[in-house]
Amino acid sequence: MKKSLLRAGVAVVLGCAVIGSMTACGSGDGDNTVTFYHYSMTSKLNAQLEEKIADFTEQTGIKVKHVPVSKDNYNATISTKIGGRKKDIDILYLDQPLLAQYASSGLLYNLDGYITDGSGETETVSDGDGFKFDRNAFNDSAWQTTVYNGSCYAVPLTMNTSVFYYNTATVKAALGLNTDAEAVAAVEAVKTWDDLKAFAGRVSGLGTDYALFGGMSSGGYMGWYSQCFVAAAGGTMYDPATKTVFPDEEATESAFEMIKYLYDNSPKEIYNSSTGFKGTTSSPAGKVLFNLADSSAIKDLNVSYTTFGAIPVPGKTADIGSKSNIGGENLVIANKSEKKDSALEFMKYLVSEDCADMFQACTNNFSAIDKYAKVETFSGDPASSVYKMYGVIKDSLENAQVRPVVSGWIQVNDNGIPSGLNKYIDGESTFEKALSDIRAFAGQYLK
């Protein structure tokens, strides 16, 4: 399909109107107006986006109405919009694990005709009078999140992963060390699960005065975080050939045992405290030694009263090494859109260098395009803790594991895994029963 760009030469109108719980910004509807749904931004970043949209309109004649929605309400909002009868959404952010759900329902535009294998030097390459996205310019794991049943339905925009964060003051106090340097060295020596247990053995009051672990939250986060441990034990989440959840039972049992060990040494009343990990200005040493979280946590760890750090999620053995998971946002085009050509041009612009820093700042995630994923986007000081933590995130993205891109997985991730795993952690189920329950739950959704 050739690109049919309309050269109207009309500048975008940058007014905003409140519509329900959303704010719609940009020009009014028109024959060449593309509607773009995205997460809400700060006023500063929103102004930047409007400036960029104005530039895009001036270059292409394509007008854009952008609709920011709060992240908490986003998935519910777009599920109504993209599945409704009105053709009032063209291009949008889509959380990675939702891709299979929407693609399997025929709601997403198939992008196979716009993908190529190029040199990886630029995110798009010319193709006659049009263009194609070069998958080799993108992080490989991020790209895998866009493929459902062998076809591509998205282009990756941003990506994040999970690491172990630590509070230097907490480690120093818990291990009875004298300097920050000693605390950092003690944590950075943790490469394997045996290393982690040896570290835990040095903590006086572990499980009473200190929590080894800050927990895995609940629901979808717990399902997602569990992948770090399963992969670190050499296992996988799903076998598409047999439609089996946790097919590597030995590795899965080992992962569950490690998760239970962390929880058994982590009183809930400590890690649920708002200051348990972060400490306070007057008491910088918290009571939680490790906190598992993604890159979005770093913005809250830039404080003056203590120093935070990060290490990759330890692997079960040195041979396996660290394994992590991948999260982030993709860009998709609604299949019902009547402006697919214009939406594709806007998608090309959104993943370009012009927009990379803005979306990284908005999401606290790295760009999914390798050459734009720079730690310097978040900090210009290589000696700062923020710079170092983002560096660990960036390195960990190189071994990030993709969630199964299969219809129904979001239910398994958000409900089936957390339910079974929690019962195992609490001693209410054996591993065999927990695994059986998870698989039985999955059988309702993974058809």
Side-chain angles (χ1 to χ4, degrees):
M1 181 171 64
K2 294 182 179 180
K3 313 295 177 292
S4 53
L5 301 182
L6 302 177
R7 302 288 179 181
V10 180
V12 68
V13 179
L14 298 179
C16 298
V18 176
I19 303 178
S21 62
M22 299 174 291
T23 303
C25 304
S27 70
D29 289 334
D31 290 343
N32 67 331
T33 300
V34 171
T35 302
F36 171 46
Y37 275 67
H38 60 90
Y39 297 154
S40 297
M41 297 177 166
T42 64
S43 57
K44 179 180 178 180
L45 288 170
N46 194 66
Q48 289 182 25
L49 177 60
E50 291 180 346
E51 289 177 3
K52 293 181 185 300
I53 287 174
D55 290 341
F56 172 77
T57 300
E58 184 176 357
Q59 295 167 21
T60 65
I62 300 169
K63 293 183 286 186
V64 177
K65 179 174 72 176
H66 73 100
V67 184
V69 182
S70 70
K71 193 169 183 179
D72 288 343
N73 297 324
Y74 187 81
N75 288 341
T77 298
I78 61 105
S79 67
T80 301
K81 290 289 182 180
I82 199 170
R85 292 184 178 181
K86 291 183 179 181
K87 300 175 181 180
D88 55 358
I89 186 167
D90 299 297
I91 181 171
L92 61 148
Y93 276 10
L94 189 67
D95 197 12
Q96 290 169 355
L98 293 175
L99 183 124
Q101 174 183 328
Y102 286 124
S104 66
S105 300
L107 297 174
L108 304 183
Y109 185 43
N110 187 309
L111 300 179
D112 284 347
Y114 298 92
I115 310 301
T116 191
D117 286 308
S119 66
E121 295 179 4
T122 57
E123 62 274 9
T124 57
V125 294
S126 297
D127 179 40
D129 62 345
F131 69 90
K132 289 186 177 181
F133 295 97
D134 180 4
R135 81 182 84 210
N136 293 326
F138 295 78
N139 174 277
D140 183 62
S141 292
W143 191 269
Q144 290 179 47
T145 70
T146 71
V147 179
Y148 171 72
N149 276 0
S151 288
C152 179
Y153 290 92
V155 171
L157 180 65
T158 65
M159 57 185 182
N160 65 36
T161 191
S162 304
V163 297
F164 272 15
Y165 294 101
Y166 64 93
N167 181 340
T168 302
T170 306
V171 175
K172 188 165 61 173
L175 299 187
L177 303 174
N178 296 315
T179 67
D180 285 359
E182 289 177 305
V184 171
V187 175
E188 291 188 346
V190 176
K191 308 291 186 183
T192 68
W193 292 357
D194 284 343
D195 294 338
L196 183 57
K197 290 178 179 178
F199 175 95
R202 297 171 60 186
V203 178
S204 178
L206 182 67
T208 53
D209 299 327
Y210 288 97
L212 181 58
F213 185 55
M216 294 167 61
S217 191
S218 59
Y221 277 105
M222 184 173 227
W224 185 52
Y225 288 144
S226 69
Q227 184 175 19
C228 297
F229 296 95
V230 173
T236 58
M237 302 295 282
Y238 180 68
D239 178 12
T242 61
K243 297 183 179 180
T244 304
V245 177
F246 296 133
D248 308 294
E249 294 185 10
E250 184 178 348
T252 303
E253 183 172 14
S254 183
F256 277 31
E257 287 174 351
M258 187 61 196
I259 293 170
K260 182 170 171 38
Y261 168 82
L262 291 169
Y263 273 97
D264 285 347
N265 288 283
S266 306
K268 187 176 294 186
E269 62 272 15
I270 292 179
Y271 70 72
N272 274 348
S273 166
S274 61
T275 61
F277 178 65
K278 290 182 63 177
T280 65
T281 303
S282 58
S283 301
K287 297 297 183 180
V288 179
L289 288 155
F290 291 104
N291 193 36
L292 177 61
D294 62 29
S295 56
S296 64
I298 296 176
K299 66 181 184 297
D300 296 322
L301 302 181
N302 186 19
V303 298
S304 60
Y305 58 83
T306 191
T307 302
F308 293 92
I311 59 170
V313 177
K316 180 180 180 181
T317 66
D319 289 340
I320 295 175
S322 176
K323 301 291 182 185
S324 193
N325 51 8
I326 191 165
E329 293 78 37
N330 292 331
L331 290 171
V332 298
I333 294 173
N335 208 19
K336 67 180 181 181
S337 170
E338 295 179 340
K339 304 162 189 175
K340 294 185 178 73
D341 288 354
S342 295
L344 280 160
E345 288 290 339
F346 191 50
M347 179 182 280
K348 174 186 176 183
Y349 180 68
L350 291 176
V351 299
S352 71
E353 185 174 11
D354 284 346
C355 297
D357 283 357
M358 177 184 66
F359 285 123
Q360 289 181 101
C362 173
T363 61
N364 290 294
N365 298 340
F366 280 102
S367 169
I369 300 169
D370 287 331
K371 70 176 182 177
Y372 303 145
K374 299 176 181 178
V375 176
E376 289 76 12
T377 301
F378 306 100
S379 172
D381 180 8
S384 71
S385 61
V386 169
Y387 188 101
K388 292 174 182 177
M389 286 187 285
Y390 274 110
V392 175
I393 290 283
K394 189 172 186 300
D395 290 344
S396 294
L397 280 164
E398 296 304 314
N399 59 58
Q401 312 295 298
V402 179
R403 278 172 285 200
V405 187
V406 56
S407 180
W409 185 260
I410 192 70
Q411 293 291 341
V412 179
N413 180 84
D414 290 4
N415 299 297
I417 294 173
S419 176
L421 182 52
N422 268 319
K423 289 179 181 177
Y424 174 75
I425 291 169
D426 292 339
E428 297 175 13
S429 290
T430 63
F431 169 73
E432 290 75 13
K433 180 67 166 59
L435 181 61
S436 176
D437 287 349
I438 292 169
R439 286 176 172 174
F441 182 94
Q444 303 174 64
Y445 298 95
L446 306 181
K447 306 297 185 182

